């Protein structure tokens, strides 16, 4: 015996000595337990009193079974004999495990608590928990992270198994196991897959020792969307080495034989109590659902408890209207006031077969063969040069199509597809039948094996439409009914595409399928959300027609013209890129330059669509794209050249934080791909709430992100959708193709005009019947040196004011035009030491980038200012002297002419003292004799001027010598003096 066991026995004997005066213990006063296993895997069986200080004389400890000892399923370890015994009837055992299948309250050992998703959230999660619901336990549906945990110590390696129902991809669900050191034992199995049908099974291996099991959920109920809980039931754990008792069967179940490992549920209209070995039949006027612990009184039958349907057509093309009770039938026809089931068998004419089907001799509808088509009567082969338009088209509802199914989802989750029905055919339409409760989901599903484009369709990377589903429907409601349309890749893994509330008139709705993953569609009708009522059974949803295009294994309702192949004239080939087919022929004609072909219309010239401003066609001539360059003529007469290639890479940004009504913080996350040719990257938004990621792609997309501190990834993204998958044009105008980019949504721009990219999304919704649109306003801002600074309208902090039109302002220096020679000026320096420099600087404020560079500084030789000053002074002086000389010269000649004139006048007035006639009375023009006389002495100019002044006579006239001799002149003077 080791020290630990010795200490235990010492305490036990001390306890026996102290309580020697107490009465002797009976078997009901104590129970047996095993001590902890020692290093040799040995243990002791000891008696433990049920209450302290009540009795004495407990049995002595005895050596127990080996620690690895275990019993089989349906057995328990009887501690008195330490041997395995079979469980009695009405009970069960897992042998080496424990099971939890009753959830009226939280079983012992289970712990549940809720925490906020992130530290900054305002959500109060103190009351968030998993809720026991009788035969299962349900997770939270609020915006918290809620954990259900259970700790178990295994004596040997074992397993844990449980059943779960996980129908909603708006809630994150994970299961993981940690040891006593809080270390995860299996990180690969954290994610739990969405349920594909009803309850799913989950199994995980457990290691020996302590294992802490965690079930954790986080709901992302954004935009007030309702979330369906995750349900758990039948949790079983093996590896605990032994169980010392069997568990009684819960009410509604039974075990009829010894050694049962599980209990069986009671069938419908029967019940059982706890620990039952058989089920008891309900009385005639009562009923019970399968697995019930009691019976209920049958209500009186009403008109809502039956529905009508049509039988298959007989040989005479007649069908009978049949009335049937809702299954399982719970109403009673014998109760006062009950209605009887109407008589069946009324004959009516059968509707024709659906398009693509033909009527057989047995009056049944069968699909036409490949390359054949039908309008619902006989099949005919498509003529040469045509191809069948393949798909599924249902507009006559005499029988349920083979790829459609109906069931009722009762109590939100549990359903029986063999006995439940939610929709029934009625000839011209298919409609919802009354449910067991107004809160039941009446579900109609359509499965499509896949999609394939017809041979005449050219391959196109830009194409976003692979198929299209269109249906015509209406709802008539007296309460707040709801019709949901879902799409996904399985019945239980779908997302809500659109929903309608209340009464809606007859209308058509289309959904574009973009990939081969979306192969399942669901319509779910619910009369009210309140449980336990059945007051609105007359509320109904009707679907008149369903059309799915390009479906694999589909049938054809018509044939269409196609281009004939060059080698085989009967084979269909696509027209070359940029060509349309002339109506009624197989001839392909070329569209005008810079036009594209409508994806759904390739016949006729109207199929050619011109590209909008500043866009060009792709190689397939199926879409208009932009190479990120742009040429604009501004109002100031400038020619602006833009290149947005630096901004063409994918860009992601968030809105300011938003909060749900419960306080959950979230963001609107946008992803943009501005421009580019065929090889451009597409913006991608994802839904990573569940393990099955869903992606959408386009020029721009949006998703909702929630910061998460309780998950592996820091952000959880959900509800993605495309807001732009088609570029319309690039311009500086504020509107294009009925899309407006309002300037008042953003701060006023006082600089260059904004360049606006216009986009549209092809997917339509109930709120956006024309599809969504997006405008990205590019604004030149040299102060923004980062690649982007994108802002949302202040009046619409989520990027849109109506949910359909999205607007963004992108400010960046890369949104400025390319620099040209108009954006800089030159500065010429002074001439310094014979050198002059010319420097080029940018005009301020600078509103351009890249483009041309500033020219280098230019250096030129020059003449300095001192030289030119000296030269100018000298030149001015010489010019002044010459001017004075010329003035004096002409002044002198004028005086001479004046003197001669005066002499002539004097000569005419003299009398007797008249002088003898001169040889010449005047000097004729060109006579220079006097000049020869004057310059004969060769005096300088100044001396001549001085002598001229001295020769002036007293009467003020100059003395001018004539051609006569000096003596004659002297004599004439004397005669004049005498006179």
């Amino acid at each position: 015996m080791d020290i630990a066991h010795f200490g235990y026995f010492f305490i036990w004997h001390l306890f026996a000595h102290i309580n020697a005066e107490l009465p002797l213990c009976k078997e009901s006063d104590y129970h047996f337990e095993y001590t902890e296993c020692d290093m040799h895997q040995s243990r002791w069986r000891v008696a433990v009193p049920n209450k302290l200080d009540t009795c004495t004389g407990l049995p002595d400890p005895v050596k127990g079974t080996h620690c690895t000892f275990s019993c089989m399923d349906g057995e328990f370890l009887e501690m008195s004999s330490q041997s395995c015994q079979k469980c009695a009837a009405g009970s069960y055992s897992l042998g080496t495990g424990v099971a939890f299948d009753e959830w009226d309250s939280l079983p012992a050992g289970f712990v549940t608590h809720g925490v906020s998703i992130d530290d900054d959230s305002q959500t109060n999660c103190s009351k968030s928990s998993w809720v026991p619901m009788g035969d299962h336990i349900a997770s939270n549906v609020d915006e918290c992270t809620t954990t259900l945990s259970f700790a178990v110590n295994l004596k040997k390696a074992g397993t844990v198994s449980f059943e779960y129902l996980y129908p909603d991809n708006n809630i994150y669900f994970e299961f993981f196991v940690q040891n006593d050191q809080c270390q995860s034992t299996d990180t690969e199995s954290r994610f739990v897959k969405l349920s594909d049908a009803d309850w799913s099974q989950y199994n995980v291996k457990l290691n020996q020792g302590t294992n802490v099991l965690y079930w954790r959920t986080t709901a992302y109920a954004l935009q007030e969307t309702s979330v369906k809980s995750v349900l758990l039931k039948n949790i079983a754990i093996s590896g605990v080495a032994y169980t010392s008792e069997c568990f009684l069967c819960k009410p509604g179940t039974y075990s009829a034989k010894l050694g049962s490992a599980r209990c069986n549920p009671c069938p419908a209209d029967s019940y059982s109590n706890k620990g039952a070995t058989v089920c008891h039949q309900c009385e005639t006027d009562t009923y019970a659902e399968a697995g019930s612990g009691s019976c209920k009184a049958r209500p009186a039958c009403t008109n809502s408890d039956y529905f009508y349907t049509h039988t298959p057509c007989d040989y005479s093309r007649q069908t009978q209207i049949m009335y049937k009770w809702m299954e399982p039938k719970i109403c009673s026809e014998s109760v006062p006031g009950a209605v009887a089931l109407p008589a069946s068998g009324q004959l009516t004419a059968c509707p024709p077969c659906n398009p693509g089907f033909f009527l057989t001799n047995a009056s049944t509808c069968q699909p036409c063969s490949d390359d054949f088509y039908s309008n619902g009567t006989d099949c005919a082969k498509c003529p040469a040069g045509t191809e069948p338009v393949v798909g599924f088209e249902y507009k006559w509802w005499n029988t349920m199509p083979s790829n459609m199914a109906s069931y009722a989802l009762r109590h939100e989750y549990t359903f029986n597809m063999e006995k439940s029905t939610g929709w029934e055919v009625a000839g011209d339409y298919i409609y919802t039948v009354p449910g067991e409760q107004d809160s039941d989901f009446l579900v109609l599903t359509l499965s499509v094996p896949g999609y394939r484009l017809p041979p005449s369709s050219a391959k196109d990377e830009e194409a976003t439409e692979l198929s299209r589903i269109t249906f015509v429907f209406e709802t008539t409601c007296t309460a707040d009914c709801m019709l949901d349309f879902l799409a996904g890749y399985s019945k239980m893994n779908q997302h809500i595409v659109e929903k309608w509330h209340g009464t809606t008139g007859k209308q058509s709705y289309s959904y574009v399928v973009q990939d081969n993953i979306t192969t399942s569609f669901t319509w779910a009708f619910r009369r009210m959300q309140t449980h336990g009522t059945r007051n609105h059974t007359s509320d109904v949803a009707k679907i008149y027609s369903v059309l799915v295009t390009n479906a694999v294994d589909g049938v054809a309702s018509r044939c269409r013209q196609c281009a004939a192949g060059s080698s085989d004239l009967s084979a269909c080939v696509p027209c070359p890129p940029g060509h349309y087919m002339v109506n009624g022929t197989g001839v392909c004609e070329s569209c005008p330059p810079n036009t594209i072909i409508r994806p759904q219309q390739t016949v006729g010239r109207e199929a050619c669509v011109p590209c909008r401003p500043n866009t060009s066609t792709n190689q397939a001539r199926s879409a208009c794209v932009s190479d990120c360059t742009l040429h604009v003529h501004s109002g100031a007469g400038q020619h602006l050249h833009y290149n947005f290639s630096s901004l063409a890479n994918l860009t992601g940004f968030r809105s300011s934080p938003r909060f749900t009504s419960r306080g959950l913080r979230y963001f609107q996350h946008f992803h943009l791909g501005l421009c580019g040719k065929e090889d451009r990257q597409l913006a991608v938004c994802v839904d990573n709430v569940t393990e099955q990621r869903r992606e959408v792609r386009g020029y721009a997309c949006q998703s909702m992100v929630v910061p998460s501190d309780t998950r592996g990834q820091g952000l959880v993204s959900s509800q993605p959708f495309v807001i732009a998958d088609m570029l319309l044009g690039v311009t500086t105008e504020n509107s294009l193709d009925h899309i407006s980019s309002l300037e008042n949504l953003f701060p006023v721009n006082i600089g260059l005009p904004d360049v606006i990219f216009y986009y549209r999304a092809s997917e339509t919704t109930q709120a956006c019947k024309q599809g969504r649109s997006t405008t990205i306003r590019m604004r030149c801002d040299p102060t923004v040196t980062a690649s982007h600074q994108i802002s949302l309208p202040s009046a619409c902090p989520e990027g849109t004011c109506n949910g359909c039109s999205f607007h963004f302002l992108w400010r960046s220096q890369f949104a400025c035009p390319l620099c040209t020679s108009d954006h800089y000026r030159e500065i010429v320096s002074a001439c310094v030491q014979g050198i002059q420099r010319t420097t080029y600087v940018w005009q301020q404020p600078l509103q351009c980038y890249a483009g041309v560079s500033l020219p280098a500084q230019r250096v030129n030789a020059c003449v300095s200012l001192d030289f030119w000053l000296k030269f100018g002074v000298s030149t001015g002086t010489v010019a002044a002297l010459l001017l004075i000389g010329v003035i004096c010269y002409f002044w002198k000649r004028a005086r001479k002419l004046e003197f001669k004139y005066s002499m002539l006048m004097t000569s005419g007035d003299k009398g007797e003292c008249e002088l003898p006639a001169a040889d010449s009375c005047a000097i004729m023009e060109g006579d220079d004799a006097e000049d020869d006389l004057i310059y004969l002495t060769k005096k300088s100019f100044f001396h001549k001027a001085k002598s001229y002044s001295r020769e002036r006579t007293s009467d003020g006239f100059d003395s001018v010598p004539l051609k006569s001799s000096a003596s004659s002149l002297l004599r004439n003077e004397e005669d004049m003096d005498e006179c």
Side-chain angles (χ1 to χ4, degrees):
M1 182 180 297
D2 57 19
I3 297 177
H5 288 160
F6 177 79
Y8 179 86
F9 284 117
F10 176 78
I11 295 174
W12 184 85
H13 282 290
L14 180 62
F15 173 81
H17 177 73
I18 294 175
N19 296 279
E21 298 180 358
L22 296 176
L24 293 176
C25 292
K26 296 179 294 185
E27 289 186 3
S28 59
D29 295 330
Y30 62 89
H31 64 277
F32 292 108
E33 290 185 4
Y34 281 124
T35 63
E36 293 293 332
C37 297
D38 58 20
M39 65 180 64
H40 303 293
Q41 294 295 300
S42 298
R43 56 188 174 184
W44 292 79
R45 190 202 69 178
V46 296
V48 179
N50 297 327
K51 294 183 180 180
L52 294 177
D53 302 330
T54 57
C55 65
T56 186
L58 292 173
D60 293 336
V62 297
K63 191 174 181 63
T65 60
H66 196 267
C67 287
T68 59
F69 175 82
S70 62
C71 296
M72 302 294 292
D73 291 350
E75 298 179 342
F76 72 101
L77 182 62
E78 204 284 314
M79 295 296 289
S80 298
S81 61
Q82 297 193 72
S83 62
C84 293
Q85 304 290 330
K86 291 184 178 296
C87 290
S91 64
Y92 72 98
S93 168
L94 297 180
T96 62
V98 292
F100 304 94
D101 55 5
E102 295 185 46
W103 298 93
D104 296 317
S105 61
L106 201 64
F110 281 87
V111 177
T112 178
H113 68 281
V115 296
S116 176
I117 294 177
D118 70 305
D119 296 335
D120 296 329
S121 176
Q122 304 297 318
T123 308
N124 183 5
C125 298
S126 59
K127 296 182 180 181
S128 181
S129 64
W130 288 71
V131 181
M133 303 291 289
D135 61 344
H136 63 270
I137 185 170
S139 73
N140 65 312
V141 293
D142 55 11
E143 296 153 345
C144 298
T145 295
T146 306
T147 303
L148 175 70
S149 62
F150 180 75
V152 62
N153 189 287
L154 300 186
K155 303 304 180 182
K156 61 180 181 179
T159 60
V160 57
S161 64
F162 57 88
E163 294 181 56
Y164 72 92
L165 191 62
Y166 180 19
D168 197 338
N169 58 5
N170 286 318
I171 189 169
Y172 169 74
F173 178 38
E174 63 178 345
F175 172 76
F176 59 97
V177 182
Q178 292 183 345
N179 57 22
D180 53 2
Q181 302 298 320
C182 295
Q183 297 172 338
S184 296
T185 59
D186 189 359
T187 58
E188 298 297 328
S189 60
R190 292 182 72 97
F191 288 97
V192 180
K193 294 182 179 180
L194 287 170
S195 302
D196 289 328
D198 203 356
W199 292 86
S200 302
Q201 189 78 19
Y202 196 90
N203 296 277
V204 173
K205 293 181 179 181
L206 301 178
N207 297 327
Q208 181 179 352
T210 300
N211 292 266
V212 184
L213 316 179
Y214 293 94
W215 294 266
R216 188 158 67 186
T217 58
T218 304
Y220 298 98
L222 304 177
Q223 294 184 339
E224 304 303 323
T225 56
S226 59
V227 177
K228 299 181 179 65
S229 298
V230 175
L231 306 185
L232 298 177
K233 69 177 184 180
N234 295 336
I235 300 176
I237 304 171
S238 65
V240 295
Y242 74 95
T243 179
S244 59
E245 60 180 343
C246 295
F247 301 96
L248 295 177
C249 293
K250 66 179 182 178
T253 63
Y254 72 100
S255 64
K257 59 181 181 179
L258 297 175
S260 296
R262 61 187 58 83
C263 299
N264 300 316
C266 291
D269 293 332
S270 65
Y271 73 98
S272 69
N273 298 318
K274 190 171 185 177
T277 58
V278 294
C279 293
H280 305 285
Q281 196 71 22
C282 292
E283 301 292 336
T284 305
D285 56 348
T286 62
Y287 76 99
E289 297 177 353
S292 297
S294 62
C295 297
K296 302 176 184 178
R298 292 183 180 272
C301 290
T302 65
N303 292 331
S304 301
D305 291 312
Y306 65 85
F307 63 95
Y308 66 92
T309 185
H310 290 255
T311 62
C313 296
D314 58 20
Y315 289 98
S316 59
R317 294 297 297 158
Q318 296 285 312
T319 179
Q320 299 183 51
I321 298 178
M322 305 297 295
Y323 293 92
K324 298 181 180 180
W325 292 111
M326 296 291 300
E327 293 292 342
K329 182 186 177 186
I330 62 174
C331 68
S332 174
E333 302 172 68
S334 60
V335 176
V339 300
L341 188 69
S344 300
Q346 179 183 354
L347 291 175
T348 60
C350 276
C353 295
N354 278 308
F357 290 79
F358 70 97
L359 184 65
T360 65
N361 294 331
S363 295
T364 59
C365 295
Q366 295 294 327
C368 294
S369 304
D370 294 344
D371 296 331
F372 284 77
Y373 73 101
S374 167
N375 61 359
T377 55
D378 296 326
C379 297
K381 187 174 180 60
C382 287
T386 64
E387 63 180 356
V389 181
V390 177
F392 294 114
E393 183 176 1
Y394 304 121
K395 62 180 183 180
W396 302 111
W397 304 92
N398 189 59
T399 58
M400 185 73 74
S402 59
N403 60 344
M404 298 186 74
S406 168
Y407 55 87
L409 205 59
R410 294 189 179 135
H411 307 301
E412 289 194 330
Y413 298 102
T414 58
F415 58 88
N416 186 329
M417 296 182 63
E418 294 180 357
K419 296 184 179 181
S420 300
T421 183
W423 297 67
E424 277 292 340
V425 295
D428 295 337
Y429 54 84
I430 184 172
Y431 73 103
T432 54
V433 299
E436 181 181 346
Q437 294 184 6
D438 290 338
S439 59
D440 289 350
F441 283 92
L442 306 178
V443 180
L444 177 67
T445 63
L446 169 65
S447 299
V448 180
Y451 311 96
R452 181 174 54 242
L453 293 174
S456 62
S457 296
K459 294 183 179 180
D460 179 19
E461 298 296 332
E462 296 283 342
T464 59
E465 181 174 331
L466 181 61
S467 175
R468 181 184 293 262
I469 177 172
T470 304
F471 58 93
V472 178
F473 73 100
E474 71 174 343
T475 59
T476 303
C477 302
T478 59
D480 187 23
C481 66
M482 178 180 64
L483 176 63
D484 292 345
F485 175 62
L486 302 89
Y489 63 84
S490 68
K491 295 177 183 178
M492 298 296 289
N493 188 3
Q494 297 178 333
H495 64 279
I496 296 178
V497 174
E498 191 58 88
K499 60 175 55 182
W500 296 267
H501 291 272
T503 298
T504 57
K506 190 175 181 180
Q507 58 186 275
S508 175
Y509 177 80
S510 293
Y511 173 71
V512 176
V513 179
Q514 300 182 349
D515 51 54
N516 256 310
I517 299 177
T518 306
T519 58
S520 180
F521 304 97
T522 297
W523 294 266
F525 181 71
R526 191 181 195 185
R527 293 181 170 91
M528 284 193 68
Q529 296 186 12
T530 305
H531 295 274
T533 62
R534 197 169 184 265
N535 303 321
H536 302 281
T537 54
S538 60
D539 294 358
V540 64
K542 297 179 181 179
I543 295 179
Y544 293 91
S545 64
V546 178
L547 172 63
V548 183
T549 62
N550 300 334
V552 174
D553 296 336
V555 293
S557 60
R558 61 185 178 89
C559 299
R560 63 184 166 198
Q561 192 75 39
C562 61
S566 57
S567 58
D568 185 1
L569 297 180
S570 63
C572 285
V573 297
C575 283
H579 288 66
Y580 69 93
M581 188 169 58
V582 179
N583 193 16
T585 68
V587 178
C588 296
E589 295 287 345
S590 176
C591 285
N594 205 35
T595 58
I596 62 174
I597 296 293
R598 295 181 186 273
Q600 301 303 320
Q601 179 185 355
T602 59
V603 179
R605 189 178 178 83
E606 57 273 15
C608 304
V609 181
C611 285
R612 299 304 180 95
N614 299 297
T615 60
S616 59
T617 62
N618 60 353
Q619 293 181 356
R621 298 287 293 274
S622 61
C624 298
V625 296
S626 170
D627 61 356
C628 303
T629 61
L630 180 69
H631 304 283
V632 175
H633 299 283
S634 67
Q638 291 180 302
H639 296 278
L640 304 178
H641 305 277
Y642 291 86
N643 189 339
F644 299 105
S645 299
S646 300
L647 304 176
N649 294 328
L650 297 181
T651 302
F653 63 98
R654 300 185 204 167
S655 67
S656 57
R658 313 290 294 171
F659 294 89
T660 65
S661 59
R662 299 188 183 99
L664 176 66
R665 183 171 65 109
Y666 70 94
F667 300 88
Q668 302 284 4
H669 179 78
F670 299 94
H671 216 194
L672 304 179
L674 184 66
C675 54
K677 289 288 191 177
E678 287 86 348
D679 56 348
R680 71 180 185 278
Q681 287 184 295
L682 295 178
V684 180
C685 295
V686 302
D687 183 346
N688 62 359
V689 175
T690 62
E691 184 182 22
Q692 293 82 17
R693 291 167 56 96
R694 184 171 66 89
E695 296 182 350
V696 296
R697 299 172 181 269
Y699 275 101
C701 58
Q702 176 195 333
S703 62
M704 295 186 183
V705 296
V706 179
S708 177
D709 297 329
T710 60
R711 291 182 55 175
Q713 62 263 48
L715 291 175
V716 177
S717 176
S718 66
Q719 303 177 20
F721 59 90
V722 174
I723 61 176
D725 58 16
M726 177 173 49
L727 176 64
L728 297 181
V730 187
T731 179
T732 56
E733 300 295 328
N734 289 326
S735 63
L736 180 67
D737 194 26
H738 307 292
I739 301 175
S740 297
S741 177
L742 303 179
E743 290 183 293
N744 57 6
L745 292 176
F746 300 104
V748 178
N749 181 26
I750 58 176
L752 296 172
D754 293 334
V755 175
I756 307 172
F757 284 74
Y758 289 88
Y759 307 88
R760 193 182 294 279
S762 57
E763 182 180 359
T764 60
T765 64
Q766 182 185 5
C768 307
K769 297 186 182 301
Q770 303 300 321
R772 299 182 178 93
S773 63
T774 299
T775 64
I776 303 178
R777 185 178 285 267
M778 310 299 297
R779 179 168 295 178
C780 173
D781 191 342
T783 62
V784 181
T785 57
S787 60
H788 70 274
Q789 183 173 323
I790 303 176
S791 57
L792 304 174
S794 58
C796 311
E798 294 187 353
T800 178
C801 298
N802 58 8
C804 300
S805 300
F806 292 80
H807 305 278
F808 307 101
L809 174 63
W810 194 334
R811 295 188 300 154
S812 173
Q813 66 173 351
F814 303 110
C816 296
L818 299 177
C819 295
T820 64
S821 58
D822 295 333
H823 290 93
Y824 62 80
R825 60 188 179 90
E826 64 178 21
I827 299 177
V828 181
S829 68
C831 184
V832 180
Q833 297 180 354
I835 298 176
Q836 187 177 56
R837 290 177 169 83
T838 302
T839 305
Y840 298 90
V841 295
W842 294 114
Q843 300 276 7
Q844 296 299 326
L846 180 62
Q847 290 188 316
C848 68
Y849 91 103
V852 300
S853 302
L854 279 176
Q857 188 182 62
R858 193 172 68 241
V859 179
N860 298 323
C862 64
V863 181
S864 64
L865 180 62
D866 293 342
F867 170 81
W868 289 110
L869 181 61
K870 294 176 182 179
F871 178 79
V873 171
S874 301
T875 304
T877 302
V878 172
L881 293 176
L882 291 175
L883 181 60
I884 293 173
V886 171
I887 293 173
C888 292
Y889 171 74
F890 284 102
W891 177 79
K892 171 180 170 290
R893 288 185 63 94
R895 296 297 292 177
K896 287 181 180 180
L897 291 174
E898 183 181 1
F899 172 75
K900 292 179 180 180
Y901 177 74
S902 63
M903 290 298 294
L904 291 174
M905 293 298 293
T906 303
S907 299
D909 293 336
K910 73 180 178 175
E912 56 188 34
C913 297
E914 185 178 358
L915 293 173
D919 296 337
S920 176
C921 64
I923 300 175
M924 301 300 294
E925 187 176 355
D927 190 356
D928 296 330
E930 65 277 20
D931 294 335
D932 297 338
L933 178 62
I934 291 174
Y935 294 103
L936 183 63
T937 59
K938 299 186 182 297
K939 294 181 180 180
S940 66
F941 175 80
F942 293 102
H943 286 100
K944 291 178 180 180
K946 186 177 180 181
S947 64
Y948 293 156
S949 64
R950 289 176 181 175
E951 290 176 0
R952 185 177 300 273
T953 60
S954 60
D955 57 7
F957 295 99
D958 291 339
S959 176
V960 180
L962 300 175
K963 289 184 177 180
S964 60
S965 61
S967 60
S968 298
L969 290 173
L970 182 60
R971 189 168 51 251
N972 290 339
E973 269 182 38
E974 291 175 354
D975 292 339
M976 291 179 66
D977 289 338
E978 291 178 359
C979 291

